Amino acid sequence: MTNTPITFNQGLGRWAGNAEVFDSKGAFLGNGSDYRNVQSLPEGRVRIDVSFVGPFKHSGHYFIQQKEDHRLYEGPANIGYAETLSENLVDANAYWSALGLSQRFFLMIVDGNLQLSLAQMSRGEHMMYVVVGQNDRVPEDTSVPQPTVVSGAHYDLQDDPTSGRGEILLHRPGRWSGELTALDENRKNIGTFSYTETCEPVNLQTFSLRLTGGAFDKATRHFSLSTNHWQAWTTEDSEIVGSYSLSGGRALSGQFYHREAHLRCWRREVVTLDGARKAVVQHWYRGGQRVGSQFGVMEFERA
C-alpha cells in the first residue's frame, strides 16, 4: 500500500524462448525462435537486441527509457509506451515499424529465470497474430538451450485447437489458485488477495467456472460457458456475462461484465508449457475508466 515508484526488473542478459504463433481465430501457425539480449546503458536506458524467426520474422534493436512508473520504447524497431505494474510485470502498447503491426503486450517474470508473455498483433483493427511466449534466461558462456516443442506439422495442427497437446489447458477440470496483487486507478498498491478459479466441465461444449476472491468483486461468482474450443462465451442470464478467445488452449483474452459490481474485466492469461502455472493480468473498468488492476501467478491442481 505504497506510492513508491516501481522499477521493472529489467531481466538483463540473454533470453531464449519457444514462442507459439496463432492467427486471429486461434489456429496454430507455427513456432517461433525468440532470442533477446538485454543490456544496461547509462542514465536509465536499456538496449534490447531481438531476433524472431517463425511465421513472421524480424531482427533489430530498440532502446527503452525507464521512468518512475512506465517505460518508453524509443525505437527504431519498437516504439511505444509500457506501464510498469510491478517489478515483474509490464503492460505495453507499441508499434513494430518493420512489420507494420500494432501490439498489445504483457510480459511477466514468473521467477528470476522464466518469462511469460502475450502479444496481440494487429494491423488497424484486424488481428493478425497472437504470440504466446515463454523465455528462459541463458547464462553467460552457455549455449542456447533446445526449446521444448510438440512435434507436428502446421498442416495438421492448424485445425487442432489444442495445438497437439490433446487438451485445452485452460479448460481442464480442476482448480487454479494463487495470490493476486491489486492496484487502484492511480496504480497505487492496495494489497495482495487470495484468488481461486474452479473449472467443472459439463460436457464437451459446456463448462462452469467458480471465481472466489480478488480485490474488485469479492463475492463468489458461478457461471456457465459454452465453447467450441477456439472461443468461450456465456449464454445464460448469469451474474457474469462475456466471452474470450483462446490461442492453442493455453492463452486467452476477453471481456467480462460483472453485473452486480457494474464492472467490466479485461482478462488475459498464459499457461506455462508444462501446464502447471499461469500468468494472470486483469484490468477492471467502469465504463471506459479503469478502476484498478490485479495480476499474479496461479498454480493448477487437477480435479
Side-chain angles (χ1 to χ4, degrees):
M1 300 183 182
T2 177
N3 263 334
T4 303
I6 300 170
T7 300
F8 179 66
N9 179 355
Q10 303 283 1
L12 300 177
R14 298 187 300 157
W15 295 84
N18 167 37
E20 295 181 331
V21 185
F22 304 89
D23 67 13
S24 59
K25 178 187 173 185
F28 180 72
L29 296 177
N31 284 86
S33 175
D34 188 5
Y35 175 82
R36 302 174 199 166
N37 186 28
V38 185
Q39 305 171 66
S40 179
L41 301 176
E43 300 179 352
R45 298 185 83 217
V46 174
R47 172 174 171 144
I48 297 183
D49 291 89
V50 60
S51 173
F52 187 94
V53 179
F56 62 89
K57 53 188 173 63
H58 176 64
S59 64
H61 72 276
Y62 58 96
F63 297 96
I64 295 175
Q65 179 67 56
Q66 178 72 47
K67 301 293 185 178
E68 286 188 352
D69 63 353
H70 63 277
R71 314 174 87 201
L72 300 176
Y73 297 161
E74 299 180 328
N78 186 15
I79 301 168
Y81 183 101
E83 296 180 73
T84 304
L85 298 180
S86 81
E87 63 179 8
N88 293 320
L89 174 64
V90 291
D91 193 341
N93 287 272
Y95 184 71
W96 290 85
S97 302
L99 301 173
L101 295 174
S102 299
Q103 179 190 58
R104 295 182 300 171
F105 173 76
F106 82 76
L107 183 147
M108 184 182 294
I109 299 177
V110 175
D111 56 44
N113 296 311
L114 176 67
Q115 297 176 341
L116 292 176
S117 61
L118 179 64
Q120 297 167 284
M121 308 187 75
S122 304
R123 184 165 291 158
E125 296 297 323
H126 177 67
M127 184 77 71
M128 303 281 285
Y129 303 103
V130 178
V131 183
V132 183
Q134 179 168 320
N135 283 44
D136 297 291
R137 190 191 298 271
V138 181
E140 293 297 329
D141 303 320
T142 302
S143 60
V144 175
Q146 185 79 10
T148 300
V149 298
V150 175
S151 297
H154 162 254
Y155 182 86
D156 303 306
L157 297 180
Q158 64 180 336
D159 296 320
D160 178 359
T162 75
S163 298
R165 277 179 280 269
E167 62 180 347
I168 303 294
L169 295 181
L170 285 161
H171 291 176
R172 293 172 293 173
R175 183 176 70 173
W176 293 95
S177 59
E179 301 284 324
L180 300 187
T181 299
L183 310 179
D184 68 10
E185 68 274 16
N186 298 313
R187 285 189 270 171
K188 178 182 177 181
N189 190 315
I190 56 176
T192 301
F193 299 80
S194 296
Y195 183 69
T196 63
E197 299 176 351
T198 304
C199 181
E200 300 174 352
V202 176
N203 53 49
L204 290 177
Q205 285 77 41
T206 309
F207 64 97
S208 67
L209 278 181
R210 184 170 70 249
L211 312 182
T212 304
F216 300 99
D217 187 358
K218 297 180 180 180
T220 297
R221 303 295 183 190
H222 186 275
F223 58 107
S224 296
L225 297 101
S226 297
T227 182
N228 58 9
H229 312 300
W230 304 99
Q231 301 96 22
W233 60 94
T234 62
T235 57
E236 299 178 354
D237 186 19
S238 59
E239 299 173 309
I240 298 176
V241 294
S243 63
Y244 57 71
S245 56
L246 289 157
S247 298
R250 63 176 285 242
L252 67 79
S253 178
Q255 307 272 344
F256 286 86
Y257 184 66
H258 292 235
R259 297 173 65 179
E260 291 190 15
H262 306 294
L263 294 174
R264 171 174 55 90
C265 179
W266 177 27
R267 299 175 49 157
R268 286 173 291 170
E269 302 177 2
V270 173
V271 179
T272 54
L273 288 166
D274 62 8
R277 293 176 289 177
K278 69 175 178 179
V280 174
V281 179
Q282 299 178 356
H283 291 314
W284 291 75
Y285 300 86
R286 180 167 288 112
Q289 180 180 4
R290 191 194 298 180
V291 299
S293 304
Q294 59 185 17
F295 50 85
V297 179
M298 303 180 70
E299 297 188 354
F300 183 70
E301 181 181 0
R302 189 182 288 269

